[in-house]
Amino acid sequence: MGRPTGHPHKPTTPRPRVTDIAAGQASVGEAARAGRAGGQGARGLFREGDGIVRNGAKILMSRENVLAIAEKYGLDMHGVRFSLDKNRRGSGPGREFYGVTMPDGEIKLARDAFMNEEQLARTLAHERFHLDELRNGHEFPWDEAGRAAYESRAYAYEERWWQAHKHLLEAGSD
C-alpha cells in the first residue's frame, strides 16, 4: 500500500542532457520558434492562424497574447494599464482566480485567465467593465456589500458580452 505498481515508461531514445544554461535557452527558443511557424509535427508551443500562441488549449501568458485576444474580440486596450501576475492562481476547480482591477485602474491578469481563449476573452471584458466603471466615477468598493454589487454588475455584463461575441471563438483559429 502506498507504493505505485507497474513499470514506469522509459523513452526508447535518450534525451540529450543540457548542461549549459545558454544552450538550454537556445534549445527552448528553437522549439518555440519551430512551433510558432506551424511546422509539421511541431511539439510544445505553436501559433495558430489567429496569431495567438497556445500550448494545447492554454494561452501562453504574454502581453502579446493579451493584446491579440483583445483585438480579436474588439476590446479596446488603448490606454489600459495591465500586468501579468504569473504567480497568482486560484486554489483549484471552482476557486479560480482570473484577475483583478485595482483602485488605481490597473488590471492584473492571473494564471487562471489563460486556461483557454474563452476564459481570457471573458476576463478581459469583465475587468475592462470594472475599469470603465471606475473611469466613469464609480467608487472602488471597499466593503463586502459594495464588492458584491460591483461583481454582480460585471458578471452580468460579461455574460451578455460573451453571448454577443462567442461566435469569434472559432474565427481565424485554423
Side-chain angles (χ1 to χ4, degrees):
M1 190 150 106
R3 293 194 105 185
T5 59
H7 301 285
H9 174 71
K10 292 185 180 181
T12 56
T13 55
R15 293 185 195 179
R17 295 181 67 103
V18 178
T19 55
D20 178 4
I21 292 173
Q25 289 173 335
S27 161
V28 168
E30 287 173 27
R33 280 189 297 280
R36 288 185 188 135
Q40 195 70 301
R43 298 179 66 160
L45 301 177
F46 59 95
R47 184 179 300 274
E48 291 192 6
D50 57 6
I52 299 164
V53 182
R54 298 174 174 84
N55 187 353
K58 290 186 177 184
I59 304 290
L60 183 69
M61 200 171 180
S62 71
R63 292 186 68 78
E64 294 80 13
N65 276 345
V66 169
L67 295 173
I69 289 286
E71 182 177 341
K72 181 175 179 177
Y73 288 90
L75 293 163
D76 182 9
M77 296 298 283
H78 182 74
V80 175
R81 288 182 307 116
F82 71 92
S83 61
L84 306 176
D85 188 341
K86 294 188 177 191
N87 296 317
R88 198 165 176 188
R89 65 173 51 186
S91 57
R95 301 183 60 95
E96 291 85 358
F97 179 76
Y98 304 113
V100 62
T101 300
M102 304 304 289
D104 68 358
E106 179 187 4
I107 295 173
K108 293 186 179 202
L109 299 169
R111 295 183 67 79
D112 291 338
F114 292 81
M115 69 176 61
N116 60 44
E117 182 176 326
E118 176 183 345
Q119 189 56 63
L120 182 54
R122 290 178 77 124
T123 299
L124 289 174
H126 180 106
E127 299 305 331
R128 180 61 206 238
F129 178 83
H130 286 316
L131 176 62
D132 289 342
E133 279 200 331
L134 291 173
R135 286 179 172 176
N136 288 325
H138 283 79
E139 292 290 320
F140 185 84
W142 294 103
D143 63 3
E144 197 57 41
R147 264 192 299 280
Y150 180 75
E151 288 302 327
S152 180
R153 289 189 306 272
Y155 279 116
Y157 171 80
E158 174 189 328
E159 189 55 39
R160 286 189 312 271
W161 179 87
W162 181 246
Q163 292 307 313
H165 291 82
K166 67 182 178 180
H167 68 281
L168 298 171
L169 184 61
E170 295 303 319
S173 62
D174 26 314

